Amino acid sequence: MVVLGQLLLVHWFCMFDVVALVIVVQHNARSIPQYVTEAITGPLTDPPGVKLRKEGLTVNHPVVFVPGIVTGGLELWEGHQCAEGLFRKRLWGGTFGELYKRPLCWAQHMSLDNETGLDPSGIRVRPVSGLVAADYFAAGYFVWAVLIANLAQIGYEEKTMYMAAYDWRLSFQNTEVRDQTLSRMKSNIELMVATNGGKRVVVIPHSMGVLYFLHFMKWVEAPGPMGGGGGSDWCAKHIKAVMNIGGPFLGVPKSVSGLFSVEARDIAVARAFAPGFLDKDVFGLQTFQHLMRMTRTWDSTMSMIPKGGDTIWGGLDWSPEGESFKCGAKSLRNNSINSMVQNENINLEDNVESVNFGRIISFGKDVAEAHSSKIKRVDFQDAVTSVKLPNLTTNCDIWIEYHEIGNHRIKAVADNKVYTAGSILDLLHFVAPKLMARGGAHFSYGIADNLDDPKYQHYKYWSNPLETKLPNAPDMEIYSMYGVGIPTERAYVYKLNSGTDCSIPFQIDTSAEGGIEDSCLKGGVFSADGDETVPVLSAGFMCAKGWRGKTRFNPSGIRSYIREYSHAPPANLLEGRGTQSGAHVDILGNFALIEDVLRVAAGATGKDLGGDHVYSDIFKWAERINLLL
Amino acid sequence: MASILRFRKLYYVEQAVKCSSVGFESLDQSPKIDQKLDKKEEDVISANNLALGINKRKRAKEWRCIDSCCWIIGCLCTTWLLLLLLCHCWPVTLLRVPELPGPGARLKREGLTALHPVVLVPGIVTGGLELWEGKPCADGLFRKRLWGGSFTEIFKRPLCLLEHLSLHYETGLDPPGIRLRAVPGMVAADYFAPGYFVWAVLIENLAKIGYEGKNLHMAAYDWRLSFQNTEIRDHALTRLKTKIELMYITNGYKKVVVVPHSMGVIYFLHFLKWVETPPPIGGSGGPGWCAKHIKAIMNIGPAFLGVPKAVSILFSAEGKDASYLRAMAPGVFDSEILGLQTFEHVLRMSRTWDSIVSLLPKGGDTIWGNMDWSPEEGHVCDFSKKSHSQTSLSDNNVNNSDVKRGFRVKDLAKYGRIISFGKAASVLHSSKLPTVDSKEFSRTSASLNFNISCGDIWTEYDEMSRQSIQNVAADKAYTSTALIDLLRLVAPKMMRRAEAHFSHGIADNLDDPKYNHYKYWSNPLETKLPDAPDMEIYCLYGVGLPTERSYVYKLSPSSRCKSIPYKIDSSISGEENSCLRGGVYFADGDESVPVLSAGFMCAKGWRGRTRFNPSGIATYIREYRHKPPTSLLEGRGIESGSHVDIMGNSALIEDILCVAAGATGYEIGGDRIHSDILRMSERINLPL
């Protein structure tokens, strides 16, 4: 049971990306010789690198990888007594051995300073540099390794590939303040362009790296000291294409549940199955609170709070995906066109339920499904201001902000019943004021009315595509590449947790299930189409509409392309994580995606690839979003 | 345990079957025995419907034997499991070797913090190499280390690995279809093999006073290539330049401190010239680049003027006791693994590496001595007593050393003769030696081409005629100048390739425009230091260890496939306390680099304003006397002076940390000399 607990814990840690249990299976699958595999599954197809080399593709443009959150390794450069002997050993990534051996020490070193979001005194944890930083996350669990191997097949090597590893716990601007990471990236890109005969680089960001690179593009052209002083044509001169993989441009709802109650669906199930087990001490202390305290010191998690508010994510009774989306994973692809046709008179049909995806958090299933006019809401902020701050009852030996809120306020939060993407921000400001105050200095989640307003020169807007202009680089290309066909968390049903003082007061209501078999609601979570982590809406909207053609967000008319990859699970265990996967991380091993990347790196344009390649309803949804362009 | 028991049972049954078939013919003799068999055998035997013809005593005996075998196996497994269990339960801290207490923590308490960015430049052999593209035999090794790390692959498929580690014989670059690249980053050379630190101790101590990735950089490069080729193939020099510029800017315009080691020293010398040279062959940094970006160069174990060891590696693929290759990876190149032709393989491989040619002795007879003279003459070789008597020796106590010289005048080693054939040739006065100039005869018989094919390995010795091989030996003794000619004779292709990249002479006129060519850049005797009067150059090296200085060779017995015709004559040793041991004359040094090579430039060549150092860059010599570790627990010692172990030397680390934190050479105490280097360099007659 303890082992299971630990596995689940790791599972949780990889909040966005990583499934630990798969590692074991994957590892076993790897050790089977290839001829055995071939005997069972038939001859393997050539990996794209081999195939394209036969076609005559060779190294052309240098390639820059920008890893996402969680997947990059972190190592210790200075630590407290308890971490002795771990100098330059990986704390994050690799085997996670230290997590088991000395969990408290580990959590202490992985945390950042609560006030500044930088290093706590006496601790320096730094990103691993080089390709090894994120080629494998754990032994046998590839992240970039497959792509790197295929690029090497057509002639790439260290001098033409660069892994822009950064400390993913920090806010983007702080990586520059503390480590000068953005400066290094700039210098490295310039170096690669200079040493490769002036060939512009192809940048491949993944997951949160997409936002990080958006930030970089603004930073590099902004004048010093805040920016990189590259001048207004830096991007045009140095970047050929940005190939965003699984990019959460507009945030992910999962990050809300992560911040709100430190749980994503996986752990929510575990909590329901083993009540009191994970709440209590796996390591002799309140695990959840410890984890929550640790992750709350990470500014970067706040970069993925849904952006654009109700305009993008939908209001109380409306959402872009809402009425046309069917959640049965099996019928997802086949029926999507049908259901679109029929969605005019949707309420008459039995097997299609209307889902209010716009309500990202609802308290109670009935609330989630009822029409907004029927919900009695009490505005929590009014209720709260009238109540005096209660005395702090900190008999819990660790600090989390919930203890400073008090029961009245918690009740008030629940009484408000429903939260949309817009009001989620208020909610987070309310339950975690310090966190949001710190985050507010680095990130912004709105939509700009007037992009020429000088306030948008502040760095906190740089990673929000709805509050920045793309650089002036008409020859650049932007790709949005992501998997579709996997149910992805989109909205949550919560309940109050009637626990003791020291537990987290809100919990996903795992008992909430949809009425019919193919319901979008499972275990308290409403799912929509996506790559298991990022909904299609967030990954595709900017390229489908926000940046398509010359818009105010894209004044120079940079061409944008959408490349979707329909998820097909591996046919059997031997295939490991599959060559046709569309899942958020596994897509980096998707042969079709790798082929696209290789072709662009070898010089092809988006048109050569075949332009857009779309399975989902993203264009339809984007049309419904009423955003001034 | 269950599996072991099952194994026992299986074995038991199998044995019974075997017994039954053996005893089949003598079926009638003792039919009653089988009733006493226990159940297990009964199954087997009844299945075969047999009555066994083996007498009971014999079988019982056999079983006992098997039994005890199984018991032993069982016991072994059990103890092994128990030990494993214990290991896991054991507190981690108890099992770990106690860490060397470096000076970092103490200096931090004294208030030192990171100030100048630090660049580490590793030397030959210590950097890791990984595979990017290979032949089918290296399948599955993509981005795995072929060099450095655990070397497991060398054990598994040695010939394949040698093929991949070799470079192209004509170009000195990648062979077709093989791409082996330097491992980048700090991991490139922190440990060479598990537990065998190179830079790790220094890095850890630097980290103690606040260094980390942003102000500490390891300039890894492919050490097999010639220096200019690292730029042509990998842009390694451009990367280093960009990195230094970046660190300079992002650390508040603080100049960098460069810490090269071993061959990295001359690599960085090459860089200094390259960076200020205009393109296309240079880095176009402009004449002020070094002055602007570099505070100090702290050369550790510098091989400025080459090492005699490189000669023996190129000549016959052997060094006496510590040839680079075998010392670094003991056992790897043993004959059992590679078959009988170990040396041939190693010779073939190392001759494809241009970098080894960069380590040949430079400066010719002027520096290294001629037939009858050498700067070290009078050196006392009693290394066991040396550490005690040394202080008195070096403290200007001329009388004392004269007395010693008087004692040993018979045994004067003629270091100038780097290769001699036969002991007699190494000690006789030059007038008594035959005076045949190698050049005269070399071309006369070279056309005789034997073309003996000995498997796949081909060395240039195969193209030499037996006659010219004999002639080489007949020439008896070679000084370092003659040596280059000798190598040109025995390995013409290699030298033609490598001499396009390296030069080993002394410049008469440094302003001659020919010295703008990159092949002179790594030779301190043929280049000027950059114009950077505020820069400092340190020579940090160990002393007090016997270091190979010259060799006594012999012809090896001729055979078709022994294609290396020369061998160090290891049977020759001098009397006790002699400098000659096992065919090798030793001098003072750090076990790899003689003091002469490490210290001369800082002691004389660059001291003050000379023609090699026109801007008068300050030079400092810091010597570290070797003291072996007092106990096993200490590992490789914190006072070691040997070539690689010195990187864990506390005094050296302290010096580096102080300079990195802002101190100047004057502040850390200027010169610190234990050896005779000043007297030696006085004897060298080099116009400055």
Side-chain angles (χ1 to χ4, degrees):
Chain A
M1 206 52 193
V2 173
V3 174
L4 177 69
Q6 288 176 340
L7 275 176
L8 284 170
L9 193 78
V10 172
H11 196 166
W12 179 84
F13 276 128
C14 317
M15 172 162 66
F16 295 102
D17 292 340
V18 175
V19 185
L21 285 169
V22 178
I23 296 167
V24 181
V25 176
Q26 175 72 18
H27 204 72
N28 291 341
R30 241 157 214 278
S31 56
I32 296 167
Q34 195 189 344
Y35 60 87
V36 179
T37 324
E38 280 187 17
I40 298 168
T41 60
L44 296 172
T45 50
D46 268 350
V50 177
K51 184 182 129 197
L52 294 176
R53 184 167 61 174
K54 284 178 194 152
E55 284 181 21
L57 260 64
T58 51
V59 48
N60 192 350
H61 295 276
V63 166
V64 177
F65 307 111
V66 187
I69 196 169
V70 180
T71 46
L74 300 172
E75 60 188 14
L76 186 74
W77 278 82
E78 184 183 343
H80 288 171
Q81 199 68 42
C82 68
E84 209 190 335
L86 295 181
F87 176 69
R88 285 185 57 227
K89 297 272 185 306
R90 280 197 188 203
L91 288 190
W92 188 272
T95 58
F96 282 99
E98 296 309 319
L99 165 61
Y100 301 122
K101 278 191 209 145
R102 21 194 158 171
L104 280 185
C105 179
W106 183 85
Q108 184 194 10
H109 283 80
M110 284 299 298
S111 300
L112 293 170
D113 186 274
N114 214 351
E115 304 290 323
T116 61
L118 292 168
D119 288 328
S121 65
I123 293 177
R124 282 185 293 150
V125 174
R126 293 289 178 266
V128 178
S129 68
L131 291 178
V132 285
D135 53 350
Y136 290 93
F137 176 68
Y141 189 87
F142 73 81
V143 181
W144 292 93
V146 179
L147 185 57
I148 291 172
N150 279 293
L151 281 165
Q153 289 282 358
I154 64 167
Y156 280 87
E157 54 191 71
E158 207 84 42
K159 68 175 171 185
T160 41
M161 281 195 278
Y162 166 58
M163 177 76 74
Y166 57 98
D167 190 336
W168 45 263
R169 300 171 303 160
L170 300 184
S171 76
F172 303 156
Q173 191 67 12
N174 274 344
T175 62
E176 171 66 12
V177 171
R178 197 193 70 181
D179 299 337
Q180 284 90 39
T181 311
L182 297 172
S183 297
R184 282 157 173 255
M185 196 156 138
K186 172 172 175 254
S187 147
N188 261 306
I189 291 178
E190 285 168 353
L191 170 71
M192 290 209 296
V193 171
T195 54
N196 287 287
K199 296 260 166 55
R200 293 174 298 159
V201 297
V202 171
V203 185
I204 310 175
H206 172 238
S207 187
M208 191 179 78
V210 168
L211 302 176
Y212 189 72
F213 196 73
L214 269 184
H215 186 94
F216 172 81
M217 285 197 289
K218 290 302 282 185
W219 173 87
V220 74
E221 299 200 339
M226 194 161 66
S232 61
D233 58 349
W234 194 94
C235 291
K237 266 196 221 154
H238 291 93
I239 301 175
K240 168 188 153 63
V242 184
M243 308 191 77
N244 303 295
I245 301 176
F249 283 108
L250 304 176
V252 286
K254 220 178 203 178
S255 71
V256 173
S257 69
L259 286 172
F260 191 52
S261 67
V262 204
E263 57 191 340
R265 178 179 42 189
D266 330 307
I267 211 78
V269 171
R271 254 179 132 176
F273 269 111
F277 163 63
L278 273 172
D279 285 318
K280 258 201 296 173
D281 350 271
V282 173
F283 298 125
L285 273 160
Q286 298 103 325
T287 319
F288 264 122
Q289 281 87 341
H290 263 294
L291 302 182
M292 185 160 183
R293 193 175 65 153
M294 180 178 81
T295 52
R296 279 194 171 186
T297 64
W298 297 347
D299 284 340
S300 61
T301 52
M302 282 179 285
S303 70
M304 291 196 284
I305 293 172
K307 291 164 189 165
D310 296 2
T311 317
I312 301 289
W313 294 93
L316 284 178
D317 289 316
W318 166 90
S319 72
E321 302 103 318
E323 287 133 13
S324 69
F325 182 68
K326 277 180 83 177
C327 297
K330 283 168 287 179
S331 56
L332 200 70
R333 221 172 312 149
N334 309 337
N335 292 10
S336 55
I337 300 157
N338 280 344
S339 65
M340 266 191 300
V341 179
Q342 294 162 351
N343 68 9
E344 313 300 321
N345 40 12
I346 208 154
N347 291 330
L348 302 177
E349 293 194 20
D350 273 357
N351 63 340
V352 182
E353 57 183 338
S354 143
V355 181
N356 296 314
F357 284 127
R359 306 173 187 177
I360 291 187
I361 289 183
S362 340
F363 279 89
K365 188 193 166 197
D366 46 339
V367 175
E369 287 168 356
H371 192 266
S372 62
S373 57
K374 293 172 194 156
I375 303 172
K376 268 175 70 182
R377 295 174 73 193
V378 183
D379 192 347
F380 68 96
Q381 285 184 320
D382 293 345
V384 162
T385 41
S386 61
V387 182
K388 261 174 51 182
L389 255 181
N391 283 335
L392 303 183
T393 52
T394 45
N395 47 354
C396 316
D397 54 352
I398 54 163
W399 180 92
I400 55 168
E401 287 190 83
Y402 276 126
H403 299 140
E404 298 177 8
I405 297 174
N407 284 334
H408 293 287
R409 299 171 143 216
I410 288 165
K411 185 86 171 37
V413 166
D415 281 344
N416 193 40
K417 303 288 187 197
V418 184
Y419 298 89
T420 62
S423 51
I424 278 284
L425 284 177
D426 297 330
L427 173 64
L428 288 174
H429 268 294
F430 174 65
V431 297
K434 284 184 191 166
L435 175 82
M436 292 304 285
R438 210 180 62 220
H442 288 285
F443 300 107
S444 168
Y445 313 103
I447 301 178
D449 292 327
N450 173 18
L451 280 165
D452 294 322
D453 191 330
K455 78 166 180 176
Y456 288 116
Q457 282 162 18
H458 191 269
Y459 59 77
K460 75 174 182 179
Y461 300 104
W462 289 348
S463 60
N464 182 355
L466 298 173
E467 290 179 306
T468 45
K469 291 183 206 171
L470 286 180
N472 180 21
D475 291 339
M476 209 169 95
E477 290 176 328
I478 293 187
Y479 295 79
S480 208
M481 321 169 86
Y482 52 88
V484 294
I486 308 180
T488 307
E489 294 176 35
R490 178 70 172 76
Y492 302 90
V493 178
Y494 265 86
K495 67 176 182 193
L496 270 179
N497 183 7
S498 54
T500 53
D501 279 350
C502 290
S503 60
I504 295 160
F506 308 109
Q507 227 182 349
I508 290 179
D509 184 0
T510 47
S511 64
E513 293 284 346
I516 47 172
E517 204 194 334
D518 279 353
S519 165
C520 291
L521 178 62
K522 279 209 182 82
V525 179
F526 286 100
S527 298
D529 197 4
D531 68 358
E532 206 168 17
T533 299
V534 182
V536 168
L537 185 69
S538 173
F541 174 75
M542 288 316 289
C543 281
K545 191 173 176 193
W547 289 333
R548 194 46 64 104
K550 254 187 221 278
T551 68
R552 64 190 180 110
F553 302 110
N554 179 11
S556 63
I558 295 172
R559 280 170 313 246
S560 64
Y561 300 97
I562 292 186
R563 307 283 295 174
E564 291 186 346
Y565 304 90
S566 178
H567 175 74
N572 53 49
L573 269 183
L574 287 178
E575 249 185 47
R577 285 151 67 202
T579 57
Q580 292 178 284
S581 176
H584 190 57
V585 175
D586 295 354
I587 199 173
L588 287 167
N590 185 311
F591 278 7
L593 176 132
I594 291 174
E595 192 174 327
D596 286 351
V597 171
L598 259 57
R599 283 187 190 283
V600 172
T605 64
K607 212 182 241 171
D608 299 338
L609 291 186
D612 291 337
H613 184 76
V614 178
Y615 294 103
S616 72
D617 295 336
I618 179 67
F619 283 114
K620 190 147 233 116
W621 296 338
E623 237 167 68
R624 290 209 199 106
I625 292 174
N626 183 21
L627 178 72
L628 186 70
L629 292 177
Chain B
M1 279 319 281
S3 62
I4 293 164
L5 287 176
R6 209 173 305 132
F7 169 69
R8 268 188 63 190
K9 204 188 281 177
L10 248 176
Y11 193 51
Y12 206 62
V13 172
E14 203 177 17
Q15 205 62 30
V17 174
K18 205 190 280 170
C19 294
S20 68
S21 60
V22 168
F24 198 74
E25 292 150 24
S26 48
L27 176 92
D28 299 348
Q29 288 177 5
S30 49
K32 287 171 195 167
I33 294 162
D34 56 305
Q35 282 152 19
K36 292 177 185 172
L37 292 173
D38 67 36
K39 205 170 182 247
K40 256 177 261 147
E41 289 109 56
E42 230 169 64
D43 287 346
V44 178
I45 289 152
S46 63
N48 291 346
N49 200 11
L50 290 175
L52 287 181
I54 291 175
N55 67 57
K56 191 180 173 183
R57 190 164 19 107
K58 188 180 168 192
R59 190 188 289 169
K61 194 176 171 187
E62 260 179 25
W63 288 347
R64 210 181 300 137
C65 170
I66 295 156
D67 253 7
S68 51
C69 273
C70 293
W71 268 114
I72 290 166
I73 292 169
C75 289
L76 278 175
C77 289
T78 320
T79 35
W80 181 68
L81 275 172
L82 267 171
L83 279 174
L84 212 70
L85 202 76
L86 268 175
C87 271
H88 278 287
C89 301
W90 212 261
V92 196
T93 42
L94 280 182
L95 270 184
R96 206 184 309 132
V97 182
E99 278 172 40
L100 303 177
R106 177 169 55 82
L107 291 172
K108 189 192 177 189
R109 261 177 269 126
E110 289 172 15
L112 254 64
T113 50
L115 185 69
H116 296 278
V118 172
V119 175
L120 312 174
V121 186
I124 196 168
V125 181
T126 46
L129 299 172
E130 60 187 14
L131 185 75
W132 279 84
E133 186 183 343
K135 297 269 160 73
C137 71
D139 215 13
L141 294 181
F142 176 66
R143 287 185 59 224
K144 298 268 187 313
R145 279 197 186 202
L146 296 196
W147 188 265
S150 57
F151 282 102
T152 44
E153 293 306 326
I154 288 196
F155 289 106
K156 276 193 216 151
R157 24 192 159 175
L159 289 179
C160 177
L161 263 286
L162 284 182
E163 186 191 349
H164 283 80
L165 284 168
S166 299
L167 292 168
H168 195 271
Y169 209 91
E170 307 288 326
T171 62
L173 291 167
D174 289 327
I178 293 175
R179 281 187 291 152
L180 204 61
R181 295 290 178 266
V183 177
M186 225 73 81
V187 286
D190 54 349
Y191 289 92
F192 178 68
Y196 188 87
F197 72 82
V198 181
W199 293 91
V201 179
L202 181 59
I203 292 172
E204 186 159 356
N205 280 292
L206 282 167
K208 288 255 165 61
I209 64 166
Y211 280 92
E212 59 191 53
K214 68 175 172 187
N215 45 18
L216 183 61
H217 174 66
M218 173 85 74
Y221 58 97
D222 189 336
W223 47 262
R224 301 170 304 156
L225 299 183
S226 77
F227 304 154
Q228 191 67 11
N229 275 343
T230 63
E231 168 65 14
I232 290 168
R233 198 192 70 181
D234 298 336
H235 310 303
L237 297 173
T238 313
R239 279 162 177 265
L240 182 55
K241 172 173 173 252
T242 318
K243 201 78 204 182
I244 289 178
E245 286 169 352
L246 174 71
M247 293 212 294
Y248 172 68
I249 292 169
T250 55
N251 288 287
Y253 300 94
K254 291 274 180 296
K255 296 186 208 175
V256 300
V257 171
V258 185
V259 187
H261 172 235
S262 183
M263 191 181 78
V265 168
I266 47 180
Y267 185 73
F268 197 74
L269 216 54
H270 185 94
F271 174 81
L272 286 181
K273 288 300 282 185
W274 174 86
V275 75
E276 299 202 338
T277 306
I281 58 166
S284 68
W289 196 94
C290 294
K292 187 179 166 197
H293 291 95
I294 300 175
K295 168 187 154 64
I297 305 174
M298 309 197 72
N299 303 297
I300 303 177
F304 278 121
L305 302 178
V307 285
K309 203 179 266 183
V311 177
S312 66
I313 291 175
L314 288 178
F315 196 60
S316 65
E318 58 187 341
K320 183 58 208 96
D321 52 355
S323 118
Y324 266 126
L325 297 170
R326 272 172 291 168
M328 288 299 183
V332 169
F333 292 100
D334 275 356
S335 45
E336 302 94 67
I337 298 165
L338 298 177
L340 287 168
Q341 295 178 307
T342 323
F343 289 132
E344 284 78 0
H345 278 291
V346 174
L347 184 74
R348 161 106 177 81
M349 179 174 74
S350 50
R351 279 190 179 181
T352 68
W353 296 345
D354 281 337
S355 57
I356 292 186
V357 177
S358 77
L359 292 172
L360 288 179
K362 288 166 191 163
D365 296 359
T366 316
I367 301 290
W368 294 93
N370 57 20
M371 285 291 184
D372 291 316
W373 167 87
S374 75
E376 286 116 324
E377 69 188 5
H379 175 67
V380 184
C381 293
D382 183 1
F383 285 102
S384 53
K385 284 181 197 161
K386 192 172 169 71
S387 50
H388 304 291
S389 61
Q390 189 69 42
T391 9
S392 55
L393 252 175
S394 62
D395 288 348
N396 307 326
N397 204 336
V398 184
N399 282 340
N400 193 357
S401 66
D402 273 352
V403 171
K404 288 209 172 206
R405 206 181 295 166
F407 274 138
R408 293 171 196 284
V409 76
K410 289 177 290 184
D411 201 26
L412 262 185
K414 292 192 171 13
Y415 289 122
R417 305 172 188 182
I418 292 189
I419 287 184
S420 350
F421 282 91
K423 192 185 174 190
S426 75
V427 289
L428 281 176
H429 192 267
S430 62
S431 56
K432 293 173 193 158
L433 286 173
T435 51
V436 191
D437 186 11
S438 62
K439 278 177 189 167
E440 288 172 15
F441 65 81
S442 63
R443 296 302 157 199
T444 56
S445 53
S447 54
L448 284 172
N449 211 331
F450 273 50
N451 255 345
I452 303 165
S453 74
C454 286
D456 314 325
I457 26 159
W458 164 89
T459 61
E460 292 196 55
Y461 282 124
D462 293 338
E463 291 184 0
M464 279 179 74
S465 68
R466 183 47 59 181
Q467 185 56 42
S468 42
I469 287 173
Q470 298 279 4
N471 284 349
V472 166
D475 210 18
K476 296 300 180 195
Y478 296 86
T479 62
S480 58
T481 310
L483 205 69
I484 306 283
D485 293 331
L486 174 65
L487 282 170
R488 282 185 196 131
L489 172 70
V490 300
K493 286 182 185 162
M494 173 192 76
M495 290 304 279
R496 217 175 299 138
R497 186 191 72 225
E499 291 206 308
H501 290 283
F502 298 107
S503 167
H504 301 93
I506 299 179
D508 292 326
N509 173 16
L510 279 164
D511 294 322
D512 191 331
K514 78 167 181 175
Y515 289 115
N516 290 332
H517 191 273
Y518 59 77
K519 76 174 183 176
Y520 300 104
W521 290 347
S522 60
N523 182 353
L525 299 173
E526 292 180 305
T527 45
K528 291 183 207 170
L529 286 180
D531 179 24
D534 293 337
M535 210 167 94
E536 291 175 327
I537 294 183
Y538 296 78
C539 289
L540 315 156
Y541 52 89
V543 294
L545 282 166
T547 307
E548 295 173 40
R549 179 66 172 79
S550 58
Y551 302 92
V552 179
Y553 266 86
K554 67 176 180 190
L555 273 176
S556 58
S558 67
S559 80
R560 278 176 66 88
C561 279
K562 274 280 181 195
S563 61
I564 299 178
Y566 311 110
K567 218 173 129 186
I568 290 177
D569 191 349
S570 53
S571 63
I572 296 181
S573 285
E575 57 199 76
E576 211 191 337
N577 292 344
S578 156
C579 293
L580 177 63
R581 244 181 291 154
V584 179
Y585 283 98
F586 290 93
D588 197 6
D590 68 359
E591 210 164 20
S592 290
V593 183
V595 168
L596 183 69
S597 171
F600 174 73
M601 289 317 289
C602 285
K604 189 171 176 195
W606 288 332
R607 191 49 62 102
R609 234 176 243 272
T610 69
R611 65 193 181 106
F612 301 108
N613 180 11
S615 64
I617 296 171
T619 60
Y620 300 95
I621 294 183
R622 307 281 293 173
E623 292 184 346
Y624 305 90
R625 169 101 43 68
H626 174 73
K627 269 189 210 144
T630 46
S631 69
L632 268 182
L633 274 181
E634 243 186 57
R636 285 152 66 202
I638 54 172
E639 290 180 283
S640 175
S642 83
H643 191 58
V644 175
D645 295 353
I646 199 174
M647 313 275 274
N649 185 309
S650 292
L652 175 123
I653 291 173
E654 186 170 340
D655 285 350
I656 292 177
L657 260 55
C658 286
V659 172
T664 63
Y666 182 72
E667 282 162 10
I668 62 171
D671 288 342
R672 202 180 69 164
I673 298 176
H674 301 290
S675 72
D676 290 338
I677 180 66
L678 291 178
R679 198 169 305 120
M680 284 182 212
S681 38
E682 243 169 61
R683 286 198 204 115
I684 292 174
N685 181 23
L686 180 73
L688 293 173

